[in-house]
Amino acid sequence: MRMIIHDLDEDFNERLKTKSEEVIWADGKYAPCQGCFNCWTKNPATCSLKDSLHEMCRVVGQADDVVIITENCYGEYSQAVKNILDRTIGVSTPMSTYRGGEMHHTLRYGKKGKLKVIVYGDVSDNEKATWKLMTERNRINHGYQLKELVFVDSIADLEVSKI
Amino acid sequence: MKTVFIDCSPKRKFSASGFIAVMTSLFVFGSKKKMKLRTKSDHEGILKELEDADAVVFSMPLYVDGVPSHVLPFLKEMGGWCRNNNSHIRVYVIANNGFIEGRQNEPLMQVIENFCLRSGIEWCGGLGIGGGVMMNVMRIVIVVQLILTLISLIFTGISTGNFFDGQILLGFLKSLAEVLFFGCSIIMFDIWLATCINGKKEYGKHYTRIMVPSFLFIIFADIFFTIISIVKGGIFRGWFSKKRPASYKDF
């Protein structure tokens, strides 16, 4: 299953629904991660906060390929998207192992297919370098086999048919 | 000279970021102010403290390879504030993560560097710490041990008349020495960072870790999470199971 996570507007949300089986709209109407680790240690794969992201890690866990569309924020995901990523660490387990010669958490839902990240907005060369590193780290951490990083200057340049 | 330390952990208390910020502040001279950044309501108070500050030290945990989401809107607000006020504040960062490799904090460091470049303020570098959580656990354990040692000394003193039992004191000092050994690299890099803050110098980017072999650290971390999961009950609620969403459409 292919999933799209985006921080665009409602109109884009409707259009993206024609392109993917599951579209997660990062509308920002949820709380940030509280760092309690209860999604690992108390109620696995369930966030303690009972808002729209309560079981989001289970939803993201079902996806084979994930496309993330985000505004650039200093070489980092937008707050709305990052919030979803922070609240879905339950896709992994609290147990650790070596992956790529480094310590990482083991994967609750196993290895994934492809992570595609589309960054829009004004992105400096330094921020592009950060994005390359950031998405590679995300790929390793979440167990994706492949990664693609795309930059577009504005939302107007986003062609839904090519996502 | 005034330095503002911002503890960016979302945890209310006992956060590793807060502890490391306090530890660093011990070696920084001049006026010091520790602030907590958890919600938007904290922004105004922090910006007010930055008005007459020379340096700011962000202490934060690594979340999904980057900056925790609740910190991002503050960076945007602070960036605008710095440009409007023509601020030249010096920015340092201390990043800590639950993995053993301090270098895993590199993307977070770059994000803060990019933030400084966009905001016209001075990026002075940062320290990336691996295994910061273990340091935090050890400091809690050592405080508990200190309390138990004092209680033990009092009871021994009452029953024997000797309030300074060498064996009991030696046991505590041994534990303290172990903690200092495991954390020696972090403490040294921390003092170096504080020296740069005091001297208004650039620190550069440095990475360190708790002094434990990585394979042992992984075993410690797995044991730690197993114990916590037994206590909280998660181990009996499908600890590793591939749970499907209940409140969303069926996949």
Side-chain angles (χ1 to χ4, degrees):
Chain A
M1 190 256 290
R2 188 168 180 262
M3 174 179 288
I4 297 176
I5 300 171
H6 74 92
D7 60 4
L8 302 166
D9 59 20
E10 197 170 1
D11 175 50
F12 257 105
N13 190 50
E14 293 306 315
R15 286 159 62 193
L16 288 169
K17 279 180 181 172
T18 63
K19 279 293 295 174
S20 179
E21 294 165 56
E22 183 65 24
V23 177
I24 309 294
W25 183 17
D27 57 6
K29 294 174 183 170
Y30 32 73
C33 174
Q34 303 298 300
C36 64
F37 292 138
N38 280 349
C39 58
W40 280 341
T41 59
K42 191 173 183 181
N43 293 301
T46 315
C47 183
S48 289
L49 301 173
K50 291 184 171 56
D51 56 15
S52 59
L53 303 184
H54 181 54
E55 288 189 341
M56 188 52 79
C57 70
R58 300 185 185 196
V59 179
V60 176
Q62 307 301 317
D64 302 305
D65 301 324
V66 172
V67 179
I68 300 176
I69 306 169
T70 177
E71 187 180 14
N72 173 48
C73 182
Y74 309 119
E76 171 68 276
Y77 297 93
S78 67
Q79 186 205 1
V81 170
K82 187 68 192 342
N83 211 334
I84 292 179
L85 300 180
D86 288 354
R87 292 273 302 274
T88 52
I89 60 162
V91 293
S92 59
T93 80
M95 293 293 104
S96 298
T97 185
Y98 284 111
R99 194 154 60 246
E102 291 175 336
M103 182 182 172
H104 291 286
H105 289 288
T106 59
L107 303 165
R108 183 181 302 277
Y109 295 93
K111 286 190 174 178
K112 302 284 182 184
K114 184 178 174 181
L115 170 67
K116 182 175 180 179
V117 179
I118 301 170
V119 184
Y120 67 88
D122 173 25
V123 191
S124 69
D125 287 342
N126 281 346
E127 287 165 348
K128 281 182 181 172
T130 304
W131 272 113
K132 276 176 87 171
L133 177 65
M134 180 77 73
T135 50
E136 180 58 16
R137 304 299 310 163
N138 291 162
R139 185 192 72 75
I140 297 168
N141 249 329
H142 290 116
Y144 290 98
Q145 309 285 335
L146 299 165
K147 180 206 83 179
E148 187 183 353
L149 177 62
V150 178
F151 295 103
V152 292
D153 292 334
S154 73
I155 304 171
D157 297 333
L158 268 178
E159 290 180 49
V160 172
S161 59
K162 289 183 180 174
I163 290 170
Chain B
M1 191 185 84
K2 179 180 175 182
T3 308
V4 176
F5 292 85
I6 307 178
D7 169 10
C8 302
S9 170
K11 290 177 183 166
R12 286 183 195 276
K13 48 190 175 182
F14 299 125
S15 74
S17 301
F19 168 62
I20 297 165
V22 169
M23 192 168 79
T24 311
S25 72
L26 294 176
F27 306 105
V28 173
F29 307 133
S31 168
K32 292 170 273 189
K33 186 82 185 175
K34 185 176 172 249
M35 304 297 288
K36 187 89 185 143
L37 173 56
R38 288 188 66 246
T39 64
K40 196 168 169 29
S41 62
D42 299 321
H43 293 194
E44 196 182 336
I46 298 172
L47 291 177
K48 192 151 183 61
E49 289 296 336
L50 294 183
E51 280 175 7
D52 58 346
D54 302 283
V56 58
V57 181
F58 288 98
S59 183
M60 66 178 85
L62 183 77
Y63 272 24
V64 192
D65 304 304
V67 174
S69 67
H70 71 281
V71 178
L72 294 169
F74 176 76
L75 293 182
K76 279 196 166 181
E77 195 173 337
M78 181 179 160
W81 181 89
C82 288
R83 283 190 300 275
N84 292 339
N85 293 282
N86 199 23
S87 172
H88 296 291
I89 196 165
R90 286 173 290 114
V91 178
Y92 300 86
V93 64
I94 305 169
N96 74 89
N97 69 70
F99 302 127
I100 186 70
E101 301 91 2
R103 198 162 283 281
Q104 292 210 35
N105 293 298
E106 171 67 17
L108 185 154
M109 294 269 199
Q110 289 191 14
V111 170
I112 301 298
E113 185 175 4
N114 296 334
F115 153 71
C116 292
L117 284 169
R118 284 225 180 241
S119 309
I121 48 180
E122 199 178 341
W123 162 248
C124 290
L127 174 61
I129 298 172
V133 179
M134 184 171 163
M135 188 81 183
N136 196 33
V137 171
M138 284 194 308
R139 66 107 179 195
I140 294 168
V141 170
I142 205 74
V143 169
V144 171
Q145 247 183 314
L146 176 63
I147 294 166
L148 292 175
T149 301
L150 289 173
I151 293 170
S152 182
L153 282 173
I154 291 167
F155 277 101
T156 311
I158 291 167
S159 60
T160 64
N162 177 16
F163 283 89
F164 295 97
D165 187 306
Q167 286 297 321
I168 296 171
L169 277 172
L170 203 65
F172 173 73
L173 289 174
K174 196 179 153 205
S175 300
L176 185 64
E178 283 169 2
V179 169
L180 289 174
F181 169 75
F182 288 136
C184 65
S185 178
I186 295 172
I187 295 166
M188 272 166 35
F189 274 92
D190 222 31
I191 294 172
W192 182 8
L193 171 64
T195 308
C196 289
I197 296 169
N198 291 331
K200 301 181 179 181
K201 288 177 188 165
E202 191 179 325
Y203 178 64
K205 281 190 281 189
H206 298 281
Y207 301 96
T208 187
R209 55 186 268 186
I210 205 97
M211 299 303 283
V212 178
S214 63
F215 73 96
L216 266 183
F217 184 84
I218 289 177
I219 293 169
F220 288 163
D222 286 352
I223 291 170
F224 173 76
F225 274 117
T226 304
I227 293 168
I228 299 288
S229 299
I230 290 169
V231 172
K232 288 191 173 181
I235 209 165
F236 312 109
R237 299 187 188 110
W239 207 28
F240 296 151
S241 75
K242 295 180 179 180
K243 295 187 176 182
R244 297 171 74 83
S247 53
Y248 289 82
K249 72 181 183 187
D250 199 16
F251 289 92

